[in-house]
Amino acid sequence: MSDPTPPPSLDALGTPLAWAGPDGRIAGCNPAFARWLGVSGRRLLGQPLAALEVQGEALAHFLARDERDSLRLNRLALA
């Protein structure tokens, strides 16, 4: 698994940011992402990104397409 500590430039961002491995599981996040979900960054490690989506399967479909594009999700929660 990747180092959960973000590089200093990402650590300072106020925008929630997470990154995942090829398996779609969270490999790390910046502090803003952890605060946004109300949990510690360590708790998020290894969680499937798709499990964080509350409604629909937009994230799961996005990850399955294997495209390098962006996706905006408005409703997330820890499963």
Side-chain angles (χ1 to χ4, degrees), residues 2 17-29 47-50 63 68:
S2 297
L17 182 68
W19 50 95
D23 60 356
R25 294 185 177 274
I26 296 173
C29 67
Q47 293 288 326
L49 274 174
L63 293 171
R68 303 295 177 236

Side-chain angles (χ1 to χ4, degrees), residues 4-75:
T5 306
S9 59
L10 298 179
D11 194 29
L13 285 176
T15 302
L17 182 68
W19 50 95
D23 60 356
R25 294 185 177 274
I26 296 173
C29 67
N30 69 349
F33 188 81
R35 279 192 308 272
W36 182 49
L37 291 176
V39 297
S40 74
R42 288 192 179 270
R43 180 168 176 216
L44 293 169
L45 294 179
Q47 293 288 326
L49 274 174
L52 300 178
E53 188 176 6
V54 172
Q55 296 177 337
E57 297 180 351
L59 182 56
H61 290 286
F62 177 80
L63 293 171
R65 286 195 318 250
D66 193 30
E67 294 180 14
R68 303 295 177 236
D69 201 356
S70 62
L71 175 69
R72 181 182 181 123
L73 299 170
N74 296 316
R75 298 196 50 153

